[in-house]
Amino acid sequence: MKKLITFLMFLLAVGQGATAQEVSGQQMPLPNEELHQLTPSTELHQLAPNAELHQVTPTYSDILMMKALSSSELLATQILPLPFAATQPLVYGYDASRSETASMEVSKNLRLTATGAYRSYIGLMDVQSVSGGVQYSLGAMTVQGALAANRYLYYGRVFTQYGVSGQLSYSFNPNLALTAFGTYYNTNPFFSMAAFPFVPTTSYGGYMTVGNRSFYVNLGVERRFNAFEHKMETVPIITPAFKISNKVTIELPLGDLTKHLIEEILIKSGPHRR
C-alpha cells in the first residue's frame, strides 16, 4: 500500500511539471542540463597548500596569430600558444611586445626569412604581424621581397591588413649606396589619431646612403598614403644614424619634422599669414 501511494505521488508530480530531482530529493544532472567547467576546489588546495593552480587557456593573441598562420581545420582541432604571443601585455606585469625571426641561408646569395611579432599599445590596441621574405644578393646589388599580414585588435574590433613589399639596393662604393623601395597594402585603415603613427600604409620612394660604418645619413624622398586625409603625400627622408656597436645602431628620422617645419614657414610667409 505504501509503495502504491508513493507511485501515485510521483505521477501527480510529473503531471504538474516537476522533475525527477525534486521528487527524489537527489541532485542528479539531467541529460540536457549544462555542465560547467570544473575548477580547483578549496579542499584540493588544502591537500596541496604549496601547489599553484592555474587555468591553462589560450589568450586572444594566440587565437589571432593561429588564424594568420594556420587553417580553420587546424584551429578546430587544436590551439597552440606561439612563443612570442604567450606573454601577456605590460598591464599584466610583462613586456608589451615580443617577436621571433627564423632565417635560412639557401645559398651564398639567397636567404629566406620568416618573422612573427606581437605588440601591445597599452590602452590603445594590440597588433599581430607575420611576414615572410626573400633576399638575393648579386655583387653590389641586393634585391628583397616580402609578404606580410597584420591584424589589429582595436576596442573589440579586428581589422586585417595584407601587404607586399620590395626593395632594390646598389652599392657604388663603401661610402655611397642607392635604394629604391615600395610597399602596397590592400587596405589602409584609420582608427584614430593616437593609432595613426603605428599603422603602416602604402608607400614608395628612394634614398641614398652616404657615410661610413660609424656614421651615415639616408637622404631621399617618400610618397605615402595618408589614411586621415585619404590622399598620397610627399615626405622627405632625412635619417642620420650612429652605429655604437655591431648590435646597436641609433637612427634619428627627421623627415616628418622637416616637412612640418617647412609647412609652418610657408603658411606664415604665404598670402594667408596672420
Side-chain angles (χ1 to χ4, degrees):
M1 187 63 180
K2 185 176 181 180
K3 294 182 178 179
L4 180 60
I5 295 174
T6 302
F7 181 73
L8 293 176
M9 293 179 62
F10 175 79
L11 293 179
L12 181 61
V14 172
Q16 293 178 353
T19 62
Q21 292 177 329
E22 296 173 350
V23 176
S24 61
Q26 300 177 357
Q27 298 296 328
M28 297 295 292
L30 295 179
N32 296 328
E33 185 177 357
E34 182 181 358
L35 299 178
H36 299 282
Q37 184 179 2
L38 296 178
T39 56
S41 61
T42 307
E43 292 79 8
L44 180 59
H45 189 267
Q46 291 177 353
L47 293 176
N50 296 327
E52 295 184 1
L53 302 177
H54 298 284
Q55 186 179 3
V56 181
T57 55
T59 64
Y60 189 75
S61 300
D62 299 336
I63 298 175
L64 287 181
M65 186 55 65
M66 286 302 297
K67 285 183 178 180
L69 294 176
S70 306
S71 64
S72 59
E73 296 179 357
L74 179 60
L75 283 175
T77 57
Q78 188 178 16
I79 297 178
L80 299 177
L82 297 179
F84 56 83
T87 303
Q88 297 292 335
L90 185 62
V91 68
Y92 296 103
Y94 296 95
D95 191 6
S97 63
R98 290 290 299 275
S99 64
E100 287 193 1
T101 301
S103 181
M104 180 178 64
E105 187 173 347
V106 180
S107 64
K108 182 180 179 181
N109 300 326
L110 182 62
R111 178 180 293 273
L112 303 178
T113 304
T115 302
Y118 161 65
R119 301 183 302 276
S120 180
Y121 302 99
I122 307 303
L124 183 60
M125 65 178 179
D126 291 347
V127 183
Q128 300 273 334
S129 302
V130 289
S131 64
V134 57
Q135 176 179 316
Y136 182 76
S137 301
L138 183 61
M141 183 178 65
T142 301
V143 180
Q144 298 180 1
L147 297 174
N150 304 319
R151 283 202 171 188
Y152 306 91
L153 174 61
Y154 183 80
Y155 289 98
R157 296 180 296 170
V158 179
F159 301 86
T160 305
Q161 180 188 54
Y162 300 99
V164 56
S165 63
Q167 179 175 298
L168 174 64
S169 300
Y170 187 85
S171 179
F172 297 95
N173 55 60
N175 300 323
L176 179 63
L178 184 64
T179 301
F181 64 90
T183 302
Y184 173 78
Y185 287 101
N186 67 322
T187 180
N188 300 285
F190 175 78
F191 304 130
S192 65
M193 291 306 298
F196 181 77
F198 308 112
V199 180
T201 57
T202 298
S203 64
Y204 63 90
Y207 60 90
M208 66 177 182
T209 303
V210 182
N212 51 43
R213 294 183 177 181
S214 300
F215 173 77
Y216 61 88
V217 180
N218 294 330
L219 299 173
V221 64
E222 176 185 9
R223 289 277 292 172
R224 67 188 182 196
F225 185 79
N226 188 319
F228 176 70
E229 298 181 354
H230 296 280
K231 67 177 183 179
M232 298 294 292
E233 64 179 4
T234 303
V235 181
I237 299 176
I238 305 174
T239 307
F242 305 88
K243 188 173 183 180
I244 300 177
S245 64
N246 293 331
K247 296 182 178 180
V248 179
T249 300
I250 299 178
E251 293 186 351
L252 301 176
L254 304 177
D256 288 283
L257 177 61
T258 303
K259 176 178 179 293
H260 292 312
L261 290 177
I262 295 175
E263 289 177 348
E264 288 290 332
I265 294 175
L266 293 178
I267 291 175
K268 291 180 179 180
S269 60
H272 301 289
R273 65 182 183 276
R274 295 179 180 178

